Structures are given as structure tokens and as C-alpha cells.
Amino acid sequence: MLFQTTFVYYRLMTSAGWNDVLESLMVQPPDCELESPGLPNGNCGHPILAITYFTSFIIISYMIVINMYIAIILENPNQTHPT
């Protein structure tokens, strides 16, 4: 389970197929069952919550990745030409 979760987050951070994950979280009746045992909402999704979560996750992860790239680019000249 942990490997699958990590794989999904990695897939989202690299923006590879995130729309498939979003579509599965936005399923609404009649394409889902509201009365699934052990699940409060059945196997249906919450479209507004899914869009909000994915938008914020993608924006925040892109900011982190872009900041890491900028940090690496700015640190590289300091290592090659120490003062």
C-alpha cells in the first residue's frame, strides 16, 4: 500500500497521467455505488475537493521542484569558482 501511494504521488509530481487519477476521484452516480460497505461515500468521489487538492498539490510541488533546480543552478558556479 505504501509503495502504491508513493508511486501515485511521484506520478502526480512529474505530471505524468495525473488526469487519470483525477478522473477516478471525480466519479459521480450513476457510474458509482453510494452504498459500498465500509466507505462513507461509497465508491463515489468529491469533484470540488479533488480539483482543489490536485490544483494545490501540483502548484506546491512545482514550486518545490523549480526552487530545487534554481538552487542547483546557483550553487554550481560557487563550487567551480570558490572565492
Side-chain angles (χ1 to χ4, degrees), residues 25-71:
L25 292 175
M26 294 179 58
V27 175
Q28 290 292 302
D31 298 327
C32 64
E33 299 172 3
L34 289 172
E35 300 296 327
S36 287
L39 300 172
N41 195 32
N43 62 357
C44 298
H46 295 282
I48 294 174
L49 184 62
I51 291 171
T52 305
Y53 176 76
F54 275 85
T55 304
S56 62
F57 182 81
I58 289 172
I59 289 172
I60 290 170
S61 64
Y62 282 164
M63 290 173 125
I64 291 170
V65 170
I66 288 172
N67 283 332
M68 286 190 332
Y69 287 145
I70 291 172

Side-chain angles (χ1 to χ4, degrees), residues 16 20 47:
D20 296 332

